[in-house]
Amino acid sequence: MGEVFRPKDLLKERKKFIEEALRDLSPGVRDSVIYILNSWRGEESKDSLIKILGKRRVEDILKSLEV
């Protein structure tokens, strides 16, 4: 049988991944990145994240967040 996931479960998994990916950042930077991800505005947000984290890291995070 296949597994059934509630939307709430998927959000928990995303949150865990984001926290794991950002654990080596300072708390202020981590909070900024989480704020940008929560208020996503497309390319504008992606550009802001690239300025903070670098292109490769942002691409990895965004790729893993796709459902």
Side-chain angles (χ1 to χ4, degrees), residues 11-43:
L11 292 176
K12 283 183 186 178
E13 290 301 316
R14 285 183 175 185
K15 185 177 179 181
K16 284 182 196 177
F17 173 79
I18 291 170
E19 289 173 353
E20 183 70 24
L22 304 177
R23 70 179 173 183
D24 61 337
L25 299 175
S26 67
V29 173
R30 186 179 319 124
D31 292 341
S32 296
V33 170
I34 291 171
Y35 175 78
I36 292 169
L37 290 172
N38 286 332
S39 61
W40 190 255
R41 293 187 182 139
E43 284 299 314

Side-chain angles (χ1 to χ4, degrees), residues 39-57:
S39 61
W40 190 255
R41 293 187 182 139
E43 284 299 314
E44 178 183 340
S45 296
K46 184 176 178 181
D47 292 340
S48 297
L49 287 176
I50 289 172
K51 288 178 186 175
I52 295 172
L53 300 174
K55 187 174 181 175
R56 181 173 179 200
R57 194 170 209 182

Side-chain angles (χ1 to χ4, degrees), residues 1-13 67:
M1 292 202 114
E3 292 185 47
V4 177
F5 294 100
R6 296 177 294 180
K8 188 176 182 180
D9 294 336
L10 291 175
L11 292 176
K12 283 183 186 178
E13 290 301 316
V67 178

